[in-house]
Amino acid sequence: MLEVVELSKHYKKTKAVDNINMYLEKGETVGLLGPNGAGKSTAISMISSLIAPTHGDVRLFNQSILKKPGELRSRLGVVPQEIALYNDLSAKENLEFFGRIHRLSGSQLKKKTEEILHQIGLEDRKKDLVKHFSGGMKRRLNIGVALLHDPELIIMDEPTVGIDPQSRNHILETVKRLNEERDMTILYTSHYMEEVEYLCNRIYIMDKGNIIASGTKDEIKKILSAENTIEIKLEKMNKALISRLREDPSVAHITFEDKSITIVVPREVNLFHKIFQYAEETDAKPLSVEIKTPSLEDVFLHLTGRALRD
């Protein structure tokens, strides 16, 4: 359905996107995962024909989006990372305005507007001005605008950035329903691992302008089949223990948060004895030490040497 072929965008000496290849089959939800600055938004802008690539092509239904953008935009919906709404119009007025851009009118426009308001959960606020909406409500309306013309493929660029948990859950459930009930094909970018794990059939991991891994969730997790992830929960965080673990040549990666330290070690290495030895030496008080099932976060750390949100 969608094929990205050797797509690149260079700005002077900076390679924002460097020769990436991707594909989406009809009815898939595919995740494009990466930290801020990985090149996701630039890639999305080229895929949706908003900016021209330095080289490469994007093909939708076997036609080049870059050569015939007008013909294909009617089959494509885009939810941009930046809110694209009129603050001095109501939710209903925004939908009606953008609906007319898609050549909807009369009873068809009225029916579609009501349907979208119900779908995004804003029926009770349809007459309120957007400037009085929370960030989450604006995000939901932003998605509604992208759905007005019944696109076959929708591209969502970090649609849950900076919103409350309730709105975030509503958006995730909306995306899930679009895929399952309407067989909509979705390209979903995020730097939240849990969102991509919940929504997506396949995943592309992007960093520094490159696709560094791709496959199903299980296939990507198998990258760490030769390693174990060990989580150490402490009574309180201990920086001396972190330093001691870093010095151990068996520890490939280490992250820490609150009262928990996570390390990655070769599967053949039994580090449990040393962990307790280091804890005693540094006066740390471990509450538990356990081997975790590898997560996408662990894989990302392994591939890039940093956590996803660093």
Side-chain angles (χ1 to χ4, degrees):
M1 183 179 188
L2 178 74
E3 186 179 10
V4 176
V5 184
E6 298 182 356
L7 199 64
S8 296
K9 186 65 177 179
H10 300 167
Y11 297 99
K12 295 182 179 179
K13 295 182 179 180
T14 302
K15 295 181 179 180
V17 175
D18 191 21
N19 209 44
I20 66 169
N21 293 278
M22 301 169 56
Y23 73 93
L24 276 77
E25 301 285 2
K26 181 171 173 55
E28 279 192 305
T29 300
V30 174
L32 180 57
L33 186 63
N36 290 328
K40 302 188 306 297
S41 291
T42 302
I44 290 300
S45 294
M46 289 189 286
I47 292 170
S48 54
S49 77
L50 295 177
I51 62 173
T54 303
H55 62 78
D57 197 9
V58 180
R59 301 185 66 81
L60 183 62
F61 304 106
N62 292 319
Q63 296 183 60
S64 174
I65 289 180
L66 307 177
K67 294 177 181 176
K68 297 182 178 181
E71 292 182 22
L72 297 170
R73 284 175 182 169
S74 62
R75 305 175 76 177
L76 178 69
V78 180
V79 181
Q81 189 176 142
E82 299 298 325
I83 299 293
L85 300 168
Y86 289 99
N87 283 322
D88 291 322
L89 297 180
S90 68
K92 181 173 178 287
E93 288 168 338
N94 265 279
L95 290 173
E96 289 172 341
F97 174 82
F98 287 105
R100 291 188 187 99
I101 290 176
H102 289 295
R103 299 180 181 177
L104 300 176
S105 61
S107 60
Q108 184 187 22
L109 177 58
K110 181 180 179 182
K111 180 182 178 182
K112 198 64 192 175
T113 298
E114 290 173 353
E115 177 188 318
I116 295 295
L117 285 166
H118 173 73
Q119 195 166 23
I120 61 177
L122 291 177
E123 289 171 296
D124 295 339
R125 301 294 301 272
K126 64 182 179 182
K127 294 183 179 179
D128 293 354
L129 299 184
V130 168
K131 65 183 176 184
H132 299 310
F133 281 5
S134 67
M137 292 166 67
K138 290 179 180 178
R139 291 275 175 197
R140 283 149 63 183
L141 186 57
N142 220 33
I143 292 173
V145 167
L147 296 172
L148 277 165
H149 59 300
D150 290 321
E152 296 167 70
L153 167 68
I154 188 164
I155 298 173
M156 298 185 166
D157 189 7
E158 305 211 23
T160 63
V161 169
I163 63 175
D164 60 277
Q166 184 178 0
S167 290
R168 184 182 179 208
N169 289 337
H170 190 286
I171 287 172
L172 294 179
E173 290 305 316
T174 298
V175 175
K176 196 81 168 175
R177 285 197 304 273
L178 287 170
N179 176 250
E180 293 178 349
E181 297 175 10
R182 295 172 56 176
D183 199 32
M184 187 173 289
T185 307
I186 299 166
L187 177 58
Y188 189 96
T189 87
S190 181
H191 62 271
Y192 294 109
M193 285 287 183
E194 60 273 21
E195 291 186 1
V196 171
E197 286 216 64
Y198 176 66
L199 293 173
C200 299
N201 309 110
R202 290 189 301 109
I203 299 165
Y204 289 89
I205 297 179
M206 192 170 185
D207 190 38
K208 298 178 182 176
N210 297 287
I211 300 292
I212 58 174
S214 65
T216 65
K217 287 173 278 192
D218 289 340
E219 286 170 345
I220 288 177
K221 288 176 184 178
K222 283 180 182 176
I223 292 172
L224 285 184
S225 61
E227 296 180 296
N228 278 330
T229 299
I230 301 174
E231 183 178 47
I232 306 162
K233 292 185 178 178
L234 303 168
E235 188 175 288
K236 63 179 181 178
M237 185 51 71
N238 186 300
K239 292 182 179 179
L241 176 58
I242 293 170
S243 297
R244 192 70 187 86
L245 288 166
R246 277 189 174 136
E247 292 169 0
D248 191 295
S250 299
V251 176
H253 301 291
I254 182 168
T255 57
F256 50 91
E257 186 177 11
D258 297 329
K259 300 175 184 179
S260 177
I261 300 172
T262 302
I263 59 175
V264 177
V265 299
R267 189 173 290 274
E268 66 272 14
V269 173
N270 187 342
L271 205 66
F272 278 78
H273 175 73
K274 282 190 175 182
I275 289 171
F276 286 102
Q277 178 186 324
Y278 297 156
E280 186 175 350
E281 291 172 359
T282 58
D283 200 28
K285 296 180 180 179
L287 300 176
S288 65
V289 179
E290 61 178 329
I291 296 176
K292 293 170 52 187
T293 301
S295 67
L296 290 177
E297 183 82 48
D298 298 326
V299 176
F300 192 88
L301 178 63
H302 170 81
L303 292 171
T304 68
R306 56 185 175 144
L308 181 61
R309 295 175 211 172
D310 283 354

